[in-house]
Amino acid sequence: SMFVVNNICIDSGPLLALLEPLHASSIVLSVLLGSHPPQMSVGRILEFTSLFGLPDGTVRTALSRMVAAGDLVNDDGLYRLAGRLIERQAQQDAGRHGPPSEWDGTWWTVAVVTNRRTMAERREFRSRALGSRLGELRPDLWLRPANITIATDLAESLITRGPLVVGDEQALAARLWDLGDLQRRSDLHGRALDHAARRLDVGGDRSLADAFVALAAAQQFLRVEPQLPAELAPGAAATAVRSRYSEVVGEFQAQLATFFGRSTPEQVSTGAR
């Protein structure tokens, strides 16, 4: 998805279909998910969130809640990702790379073999299945072409791999994913990244905020974009998004380093309370 924050808007028209609120916790998680290693001092976090006009108190409250929820660990003012978010970062990193050019025609099939799951367990399973870029054929039955690896430790499930004996692969892919919507979203993210690149050319703190929301949105899209083999893909639009993302994120990181460089060490190392 794309975001609007404090009246920051990437573009108008069709791009509005991708907009949703981005809150303090979302900004913090997005910037940590994009950091390697995924950690940042509280002072630097507060510097970054100042780009969005967020009060320090609001951000500190969000940080405390994320630590309580197990999403972050606070080590004397150094916040780092924890738990399920480590896996999410790996999924995001994988999304920046295109699928292999070769596919042997086999499919992954994941079938849940128990009905006794809590709502939380169902949500966790769905999140991990989507992170593995599986498509849901019907409740508790997930498939995808075996051109990429998937998580094989999905709880209470049977996982098999093999070719379709009967059935049309193109029709199956179209049932598992809305290929037209994937193409549309790829086009919109490509346009948003183009807009972000133009804003970065202008420079300034506001351009960093604009670029960040476009990059975070594209990264979220690429995390679950199915990376279909060329035989089944709806087009090269997602490939174009990956390429444009790499270009824009490089310039963004360079300008962000300059932004952080304006601060004194004392400002950067401000500890959490």
Side-chain angles (χ1 to χ4, degrees):
S1 298
M2 299 249 331
F3 310 101
V4 157
V5 185
N6 294 350
N7 298 319
I8 296 172
C9 183
I10 291 299
D11 204 348
S12 58
L15 290 181
L16 292 175
L18 294 173
L19 299 176
E20 64 182 52
L22 184 62
H23 305 292
S25 58
S26 302
I27 296 173
V28 171
L29 290 180
S30 292
V31 74
L32 288 176
L33 284 164
S35 301
H36 294 80
Q39 62 187 33
M40 191 173 288
S41 70
V42 65
R44 184 140 292 189
I45 289 172
L46 294 176
E47 283 184 277
F48 184 77
T49 53
S50 72
L51 288 169
F52 302 90
L54 292 172
D56 287 359
T58 299
V59 179
R60 290 181 185 276
T61 298
L63 288 169
S64 296
R65 289 174 177 170
M66 286 185 282
V67 170
D71 292 333
L72 300 181
V73 172
N74 177 11
D75 184 8
D76 194 25
L78 183 69
Y79 288 87
R80 63 178 182 269
L81 295 182
R84 60 185 177 83
L85 292 175
I86 300 299
E87 182 177 26
R88 172 176 279 196
Q89 185 183 55
Q91 294 167 352
Q92 286 197 173
D93 290 347
R96 295 177 60 176
H97 305 287
S101 57
E102 300 293 329
W103 175 45
D104 63 5
T106 61
W107 289 70
W108 293 111
T109 301
V110 178
V112 178
V113 293
T114 180
N115 293 322
R116 295 184 177 181
R117 292 184 296 164
T118 66
M119 185 59 68
E121 289 171 336
R122 291 178 182 274
R123 288 174 178 165
E124 175 69 13
F125 182 93
R126 171 173 287 274
S127 176
R128 298 197 67 208
L130 292 174
S132 284
R133 296 173 174 80
L134 289 158
E136 189 175 25
L137 184 64
R138 58 174 176 75
D140 293 338
L141 182 61
W142 299 74
L143 296 92
R144 70 151 295 113
N147 62 322
I148 64 173
T149 59
I150 65 170
T152 55
D153 58 345
L154 296 168
E156 302 294 342
S157 61
L158 280 173
I159 302 177
T160 62
R161 176 176 178 172
L164 292 185
V165 177
V166 177
D168 182 277
E169 291 175 337
Q170 289 279 359
L172 177 56
R175 285 189 63 183
L176 295 171
W177 297 280
D178 186 336
L179 301 183
D181 182 62
L182 283 173
Q183 182 75 32
R184 181 185 68 86
R185 292 171 64 198
S186 295
D187 291 341
L188 291 174
H189 283 294
R191 289 172 54 195
L193 290 170
D194 286 343
H195 180 84
R198 292 193 296 270
R199 296 285 289 119
L200 287 172
D201 285 342
V202 173
D205 295 352
R206 184 63 173 263
S207 70
L208 280 172
D210 285 354
F212 176 76
V213 293
L215 288 166
Q219 185 67 87
Q220 288 190 16
F221 168 68
L222 292 174
R223 185 178 77 87
V224 296
E225 190 276 325
Q227 294 191 346
L228 296 174
E231 298 91 324
L232 303 177
T239 300
V241 173
R242 290 187 187 94
S243 176
R244 195 63 170 132
Y245 177 93
S246 295
E247 295 170 0
V248 176
V249 79
E251 179 60 27
F252 171 82
Q253 290 171 342
Q255 293 195 24
L256 185 62
T258 300
F259 169 78
F260 282 142
R262 299 176 201 163
S263 301
T264 65
E266 290 76 20
Q267 289 173 310
V268 173
S269 61
T270 301
R273 297 290 189 269

